[in-house]
Amino acid sequence: MSRHQRTIGWCRNGLQAMAFRSGDTRSSWHAWALLLFVWPTLAIPIETPADDVSQSAEPASIDQADLMDLEVTHFEGLNSYARQLASKAYSAEPALDASLAGLSYEQYRDIRFRNGRSTWNDGQHPFWLEYFHRGFVQTDRVEVFVIRRQPTRATKTSPTQTGRPQNVVPIPYDREYFDFFGQAEGLRPSDDTGFAGIRIAGRFRPGGDSQELLSFVGSSYFRSRTAETVYGASARALAIDIGLDRDEEFPDFRKFWLVEPAPTDTSMVVLALMDGPSVVGAYEFTLHAGTQTTRLEVRAAIHFRRVPAKVAMAPITSMWMWGDGLAGPPKDARPHVHDSDGLRLIADGIHRWRALTRTSYPSVSATMVESLQGFGLMQRNRDFADYQDTGALYHQRPSIWIEPLKPWGPGRVELLELPGAHEGIDNVGAYFVPDEPPSADQPLRLRYRMWFFGDPERMTSKVQQWAESPAWCCVDLDVKRDVGLGTVTIRFDATEPEVRPATTDVELLRGELVSQQMRMLGDGQAELTLMIRPSDSLPVEVRCQLRTENGETCSELVEYLLPVTEPSFVYPDVYTRQESAKESDDAKP
């Protein structure tokens, strides 16, 4: 597959046994992974048909078990539904028909949604709804309902706020929603196949092109973007038993209710029911899509059938293959390949930046916090020259920031970094784990805000206007290795150039600082070079911070896990970029 054919999406790709090392402790555990598939990286305009042909017919009859589905009109109604469902035993979804579950990637790629069948795409609605077909690795089934507004009372106020009765209408699966091309031609899915997920389309700016704004597909995964960015890092509703010596549990979004937007609405409301062996969750997502920043307001009530060993809140997933401190495969000339380059964390008045890395085994880094202000996986490096990829557009991948709207209490932010085989695997996760475990008697209620943005300056100008940023922030990190030595060079950019760093604080775990040098580069840049001698075979934990002549901190606390020797990876034979490189080499005279 060439880089221009690369497609993105996400799903569970099973559980893989891996070795985890922490100090002298070694244990076998199961780690999660995500396989990217079947979505164009570039934002493709969506054709708007002249007529809306997607309104579903009313069902001929309603089974008693479906009455709750048709009564959900607002968040608290959904919460009541979730509470009742949690009192019952978990019931797994029936297996997907073998004809669909056995599809190859190429076959599944040839199933495409028909733009003309979008719900609400009639020129009268600011947002409309499209669907994903089941098949290949997307085996989960979701049910979809729309909550119609009262025609004479359509206002800018969300029905989830007014609580007015609405008409709830199911959107039944119909194979006529899809075209079956090429290798998928001839497929005849049954009428009860159902959808794999949904996507919300609209316009980032009035009069602009139609674009995909928000998507839900696979387990409880979802993602969004801005007009300045393409799809990249994604999120999950919840992570259960992640990073433990056991299989991780993946609860699924099983039902969605979409609140019909009024013509003048600038936001879109999605209600979602999450169901799994341990948990049942009621979720409300309010989308505010924008050119520079997209905001997603999240409200949730999570009920427990049983309390898991570990509940991780607001998980973000991303990909880091190579770049700072790690070379790529020999036949791939791209300097960097990643959706995110670091974890940013603000808690207890401290700004932290942890540059991402990749070792040959899973790694979990935990930061204990008393009062969390926010965390996120960032793509700070926006320079195309550092990626040189016109297909994947890694320089346009969004950063994701999580901002609690109610205190989450003391806990820890964990960063999970997995080896990952290639850039089609999401191998990075970040999430919050509270110190106080949830109760089986009371729901876990969450309120938080998610931000999606590109330019790092959006962080201070729009996203975290409530927090004063450090005068100097890490923007680049490079590693050079010699026999028994590692040299880490960290470059800082100034948000306040008049605040000049004079000294440094450097702390190493499992290593000795041989030398350090700081240089002012001009144009509001500084460079700190650390020469480090490892004390054993394990990676060195590096922490450093800049200080002024008065001894006041003036930069983020920069953290990095430095492997003693550069990790080596065996990339699969079908690795996309190796194939592209081989084709280029073959074409040379």
Side-chain angles (χ1 to χ4, degrees):
M1 184 188 303
S2 72
R3 70 182 58 188
H4 297 288
Q5 293 173 318
R6 183 178 185 271
T7 56
I8 62 176
W10 69 101
C11 72
R12 293 199 310 273
N13 191 33
L15 301 169
Q16 304 174 352
M18 298 181 175
F20 171 61
R21 304 182 184 183
S22 177
D24 296 327
T25 303
R26 300 187 183 188
S27 62
S28 174
W29 67 308
H30 292 277
W32 53 266
L34 307 176
L35 174 65
L36 303 182
F37 78 104
V38 194
W39 250 333
T41 299
L42 296 173
I44 301 175
I46 302 169
E47 181 182 355
T48 303
D51 299 316
D52 177 15
V53 295
S54 63
Q55 295 297 335
S56 64
E58 299 287 350
S61 62
I62 299 176
D63 188 272
Q64 184 66 28
D66 297 330
L67 288 179
M68 287 290 292
D69 296 337
L70 302 182
E71 292 175 356
V72 173
T73 60
H74 48 73
F75 175 75
E76 287 305 332
L78 177 59
N79 182 33
S80 177
Y81 188 171
R83 182 172 58 250
Q84 293 185 45
L85 187 60
S87 66
K88 303 175 183 178
Y90 173 71
S91 176
E93 280 281 348
L96 178 62
D97 183 85
S99 64
L100 293 173
L103 292 179
S104 67
Y105 166 78
E106 289 76 14
Q107 289 173 306
Y108 185 71
R109 183 180 58 184
D110 285 341
I111 304 175
R112 304 169 196 173
F113 182 77
R114 291 179 177 174
N115 291 331
R117 297 305 304 270
S118 304
T119 301
W120 299 327
N121 195 356
D122 56 1
Q124 303 299 314
H125 292 81
F127 306 97
W128 51 95
L129 180 62
E130 300 180 351
Y131 312 97
F132 293 99
H133 204 283
R134 297 174 74 192
F136 185 42
V137 293
Q138 289 298 2
T139 59
D140 297 334
R141 181 180 187 273
V142 302
E143 296 179 54
V144 183
F145 305 85
V146 297
I147 303 174
R148 288 179 173 169
R149 285 180 175 269
Q150 298 291 347
T152 59
R153 295 186 178 182
T155 67
K156 295 178 69 174
T157 304
S158 164
T160 58
Q161 296 171 316
T162 65
R164 291 196 301 268
Q166 307 293 318
N167 295 321
V168 181
V169 180
I171 305 293
Y173 167 83
D174 187 339
R175 71 178 309 276
E176 293 303 316
Y177 280 110
F178 303 91
D179 284 317
F180 297 82
F181 295 100
Q183 298 188 47
E185 190 174 4
L187 280 176
R188 293 293 182 269
S190 63
D191 292 340
D192 61 350
T193 295
F195 302 112
I198 60 173
R199 57 186 167 209
I200 297 168
R203 295 175 175 82
F204 286 108
R205 55 176 71 87
D209 290 336
S210 303
Q211 302 284 343
E212 186 174 332
L213 310 176
L214 172 65
S215 296
F216 297 84
V217 63
S219 193
S220 68
Y221 290 95
F222 60 94
R223 61 184 177 178
S224 188
R225 50 182 283 265
T226 69
E228 296 179 337
T229 61
V230 299
Y231 274 141
S234 58
R236 284 199 266 173
L238 204 67
I240 301 294
D241 292 343
I242 186 171
L244 298 180
D245 188 15
R246 65 185 68 188
D247 287 354
E248 184 181 344
E249 177 183 324
F250 287 87
D252 301 318
F253 279 142
R254 287 197 172 182
K255 301 176 190 288
F256 292 95
W257 291 261
L258 288 300
V259 179
E260 181 182 5
T264 57
D265 277 354
T266 58
S267 63
M268 177 75 190
V269 177
V270 180
L271 300 174
L273 178 71
M274 182 183 71
D275 190 20
S278 297
V279 298
V280 179
Y283 278 80
E284 179 187 71
F285 301 91
T286 304
L287 172 69
H288 303 265
T291 302
Q292 298 179 344
T293 60
T294 285
R295 188 173 82 251
L296 198 61
E297 307 281 346
V298 183
R299 176 163 58 153
I302 301 159
H303 303 265
F304 294 88
R305 290 188 169 101
R306 58 179 175 81
V307 178
K310 185 176 183 181
V311 176
M313 295 152 51
I316 309 171
T317 65
S318 190
M319 179 275 293
W320 195 96
M321 279 294 108
W322 68 80
D324 303 327
L326 181 64
K331 293 184 179 181
D332 199 314
R334 294 171 299 164
H336 294 247
V337 168
H338 48 73
D339 287 338
S340 308
D341 51 15
L343 168 69
R344 184 171 190 180
L345 168 62
I346 305 177
D348 307 324
I350 301 174
H351 293 247
R352 297 173 183 264
W353 174 259
R354 187 172 190 89
L356 300 183
T357 187
R358 187 161 68 108
T359 60
S360 57
Y361 48 82
S363 170
V364 176
S365 306
T367 302
M368 308 305 293
V369 302
E370 290 295 323
S371 177
L372 176 68
Q373 292 176 283
F375 72 95
L377 290 174
M378 307 282 116
Q379 184 79 313
R380 278 185 172 174
N381 187 343
R382 318 300 294 184
D383 189 347
F384 173 79
D386 286 333
Y387 302 96
Q388 300 177 26
D389 195 322
T390 57
L393 300 178
Y394 288 117
H395 65 295
Q396 293 182 11
R397 299 299 172 100
S399 296
I400 300 180
W401 180 253
I402 304 294
E403 177 189 351
L405 298 180
K406 294 177 61 178
W408 287 359
R412 64 188 185 274
V413 173
E414 289 187 355
L415 175 67
L416 172 63
E417 296 169 293
L418 304 177
H422 54 79
E423 65 196 277
I425 298 292
D426 266 5
N427 63 327
V428 176
Y431 44 86
F432 178 80
V433 181
D435 283 349
E436 184 177 349
S439 168
D441 300 328
Q442 295 292 330
L444 173 63
R445 287 187 175 264
L446 297 176
R447 292 288 299 271
Y448 59 96
R449 181 176 291 135
M450 298 185 65
W451 294 90
F452 300 80
F453 57 95
D455 191 330
E457 292 184 2
R458 309 284 182 243
M459 186 73 185
T460 53
S461 64
K462 294 182 180 295
V463 175
Q464 63 163 48
Q465 301 178 50
W466 42 265
E468 183 178 352
S469 294
W472 294 81
C473 294
C474 174
V475 294
D476 190 35
L477 183 146
D478 191 26
V479 177
K480 290 182 173 57
R481 295 176 175 87
D482 202 348
V483 179
L485 291 175
T487 301
V488 179
T489 301
I490 304 168
R491 185 165 60 85
F492 295 84
D493 277 6
T495 59
E496 301 177 44
E498 65 277 8
V499 179
R500 294 182 62 82
T503 62
T504 61
D505 280 344
V506 179
E507 180 183 357
L508 304 177
L509 178 62
R510 298 183 298 272
E512 171 193 355
L513 182 62
V514 176
S515 66
Q516 63 174 307
Q517 179 185 17
M518 187 173 67
R519 296 189 303 153
M520 303 302 296
L521 303 179
D523 296 328
Q525 294 186 338
E527 187 177 84
L528 174 63
T529 301
L530 307 174
M531 185 174 289
I532 298 167
R533 179 178 292 113
S535 58
D536 56 36
S537 60
L538 296 174
V540 180
E541 176 72 17
V542 181
R543 296 177 183 173
C544 63
Q545 197 165 26
L546 305 182
R547 291 185 179 271
T548 65
E549 289 185 352
N550 301 337
E552 298 178 351
T553 59
C554 61
S555 77
E556 300 170 312
L557 175 59
V558 179
E559 301 172 311
Y560 180 66
L561 188 67
L562 170 66
V564 176
T565 58
E566 182 172 346
S568 60
F569 299 91
V570 178
Y571 292 92
D573 293 338
V574 296
Y575 188 69
T576 303
R577 307 312 180 193
Q578 287 192 13
E579 291 182 6
S580 296
K582 183 178 185 305
E583 292 170 1
S584 299
D585 290 343
D586 292 344
K588 294 179 181 178

